[in-house]
Amino acid sequence: MQTAIALRELFSAEGRRDPYPFYAGLHRLGQAAPLDPAVDRYSVVVHGYEAIEKLTRDPVFRMLDAAYLDRLDGRDMPLWRRRRSLQVLQQTVFFLNPPDHTRLRRPLAQAFTARRMAALEPAIVRLIDRRLDQVEEAGAGGRTVDFMKLFAYPVPSDVIGELVGVPEEDRAWFPPRSEPFSLVLEPGPQNWRYLQAGDAAAVELTGYFEKLVAARTAEPRDDLTSSLLGSRASGAAEFSDEELVANLIGVYNAGFLTSVHSIGNGLILLMDRPSHRAELRDRPEVAAAYVEEILRYKTPVQFGVRYAAEDTEVMGVPVPAGGEALVLLGAANRDPRRFPDPDVFDPHRPDNHTMSFSVGPHYCLGAALSKLEIQLALPMLLRRFPKLALAGPPRTLDLMTFHGYQEIPITIA
């Protein structure tokens, strides 16, 4: 089948590095296409903007929760229950369905209100300024520095750490553990390579947040961890200690890795487009529009997966009960039916509502925070370092879970 061939190519090294030509081929097939079960684990690939919006709002399509994975495996001890990373992930709001999803999402959402984001903005500016100072010091005299290591990773880690309550001195500890933990979701036949590192990271992350919960239980502060503990103590929220720790891990990871790669993606896009770079530097009021286009043009997380709870269809493509749908968010953001000239980077694109943070009940909790970080970070960076330049070719991640850069060498003078 033509679609199955396209999907195999998407999971190849070349497809992971640059999936957009493959997405263009999928768009020529319509908004969704059936897959050959002899070739792929998925029943359907969904790549059109309208189709993904329909699917993610349809209660028939559900997250791959513990009950589904148990039925799928069928053994007394399913494989996922023997992997510590998957055990943790399956307790987070990202993999739950109602009523558990609703029960846990409601108290978490209180941390991401518009009022809370506005209150955080001065702290975000302070954290960005501090990291810019470090870049300036490291890049003095024309020395080459790694933008990802010195800026794109630390800034979002600082911000989500501030929100969650992770002390400043501990934040550098997280990236080497958070990324391996998240990569257990990487699709394709090589997934097994990531499980061992992900399991080890899950053990360390669990141990860290268990200690943080104990510390905030003894001495509450103005942070998300203390707020969740207070909500539970008052009866306003209901969750176990294990669920609390798992969701703190999930929020921390999701709260900074998307921003990390969007900041890196944004820098590369701007370096290739001097007029856009100058506009963003000189007109910070357009930053929000730039962020939306960065997220659309180079989507940081490319895919999601849902299963059908009963026989159904997506845009005329039948999906059997228990069948899985591969949901290509990155493809939806390049759908020519929704975005004219989708391969053109245009920050002034009208009605630019992207799929980068999904839609519906599982719309990303931290979307507003992530966008705020990026729209503050990039203009501040460009104003501080007007001579910023690439010092060599960037190194890509070549992943579907995160689409961005592992290393970006720069000079600032």
Side-chain angles (χ1 to χ4, degrees):
M1 294 178 66
Q2 183 181 6
T3 309
I5 293 170
L7 203 54
R8 283 199 301 270
E9 292 173 2
L10 179 62
F11 291 154
S12 71
E14 182 183 351
R16 291 168 191 273
R17 192 160 44 249
D18 182 13
Y20 298 104
F22 300 101
Y23 293 162
L26 287 175
H27 286 309
R28 289 192 287 271
L29 299 173
Q31 296 227 24
L35 295 174
D36 185 347
V39 176
D40 289 295
R41 62 173 275 188
Y42 309 105
S43 298
V44 61
V45 57
V46 187
H47 44 274
Y49 188 98
E50 183 184 353
I52 290 179
E53 187 167 42
K54 176 178 182 290
L55 182 149
T56 51
R57 296 184 187 279
D58 186 346
V60 169
F61 284 99
R62 301 180 184 177
M63 304 304 296
L64 277 57
D65 60 9
Y68 173 76
L69 295 180
D70 286 343
R71 290 196 303 272
L72 189 68
D73 192 300
R75 289 176 286 188
D76 290 340
M77 179 59 75
L79 177 63
W80 77 268
R81 290 190 179 273
R82 288 176 261 155
R83 310 302 318 206
R84 184 59 188 146
S85 54
L86 300 179
Q87 292 171 25
V88 173
L89 282 168
Q90 288 302 135
Q91 295 184 78
T92 67
V93 290
F94 310 108
F95 290 91
L96 293 175
N97 294 302
D100 288 329
H101 175 260
T102 309
R103 171 175 60 85
L104 288 171
R105 184 180 172 99
R106 187 176 293 118
L108 286 168
Q110 298 305 308
F112 297 95
T113 62
R115 187 174 62 132
R116 180 68 171 168
M117 295 305 98
L120 267 177
E121 184 167 340
I124 296 173
V125 170
R126 172 179 56 81
L127 293 167
I128 292 170
D129 263 329
R130 189 183 65 179
R131 293 299 177 178
L132 290 172
D133 290 343
Q134 293 173 5
V135 171
E136 185 169 11
E137 181 180 355
R143 291 193 298 266
T144 297
V145 299
D146 178 5
F147 176 77
M148 297 303 293
K149 181 179 179 180
L150 280 186
F151 189 79
Y153 271 94
V155 166
S157 185
D158 282 343
V159 172
I160 196 66
E162 193 87 2
L163 181 73
V164 170
V166 171
E168 198 169 299
E169 61 270 19
D170 292 347
R171 294 170 191 168
W173 180 87
F174 276 86
R177 291 156 180 87
S178 292
E179 201 153 73
F181 173 76
S182 296
L183 285 180
V184 300
L185 300 175
E186 182 69 7
Q190 79 298 327
N191 173 271
W192 63 269
R193 297 184 208 167
Y194 300 110
L195 281 169
Q196 188 169 0
D199 289 344
V203 170
E204 292 188 277
L205 290 165
T206 299
Y208 181 90
F209 278 105
E210 285 175 344
K211 291 176 182 175
L212 182 66
V213 167
R216 294 297 180 267
T217 301
E219 186 180 340
R221 296 186 184 176
D222 183 21
D223 56 40
L224 173 61
T225 304
S226 302
S227 174
L228 291 171
L229 287 165
S231 295
R232 184 172 67 174
S234 70
E238 179 186 349
F239 44 79
S240 68
D241 286 345
E242 194 173 6
E243 288 174 326
L244 173 59
V245 167
N247 280 280
L248 288 172
I249 294 172
V251 165
Y252 198 102
N253 276 25
F256 93 91
L257 286 170
T258 299
S259 300
V260 164
H261 298 299
S262 294
I263 291 171
N265 292 340
L267 178 67
I268 295 298
L269 288 169
L270 294 167
M271 296 303 293
D272 290 342
R273 297 164 175 82
S275 63
H276 286 118
R277 173 179 170 174
E279 180 182 43
L280 181 60
R281 181 193 64 220
D282 298 335
R283 297 182 60 213
E285 69 272 14
V286 302
Y290 268 78
V291 170
E292 287 295 338
E293 184 67 351
I294 290 166
L295 290 166
R296 185 199 70 82
Y297 191 85
K298 198 166 173 71
T299 308
V301 177
Q302 292 281 307
F303 76 99
V305 181
R306 300 286 196 277
Y307 82 92
E310 59 189 57
D311 290 344
T312 187
E313 56 82 28
V314 181
M315 294 298 193
V317 178
V319 185
E324 294 182 12
L326 179 66
V327 181
L328 293 176
L329 303 170
N333 284 339
R334 295 284 187 104
D335 185 348
R337 303 170 190 85
R338 176 63 179 78
F339 301 103
D341 297 320
D343 297 328
V344 173
F345 181 78
D346 179 9
H348 302 293
R349 185 181 294 275
D351 191 30
N352 196 14
H353 299 292
T354 75
M355 282 285 177
S356 299
F357 293 105
S358 191
V359 295
H362 280 272
Y363 180 73
C364 178
L365 279 166
L369 178 61
S370 182
K371 291 178 182 182
L372 178 61
E373 291 171 42
I374 306 162
Q375 70 188 55
L376 290 171
L378 288 174
M380 289 174 67
L381 171 78
L382 297 176
R383 288 195 296 273
R384 176 75 79 94
F385 306 124
K387 296 181 180 180
L388 187 151
L390 292 178
R395 191 150 52 105
T396 62
L397 285 168
D398 299 345
L399 296 166
M400 292 291 290
T401 306
F402 305 117
H403 208 233
Y405 297 90
Q406 186 172 356
E407 181 182 11
I408 301 178
I410 61 167
T411 57
I412 58 172

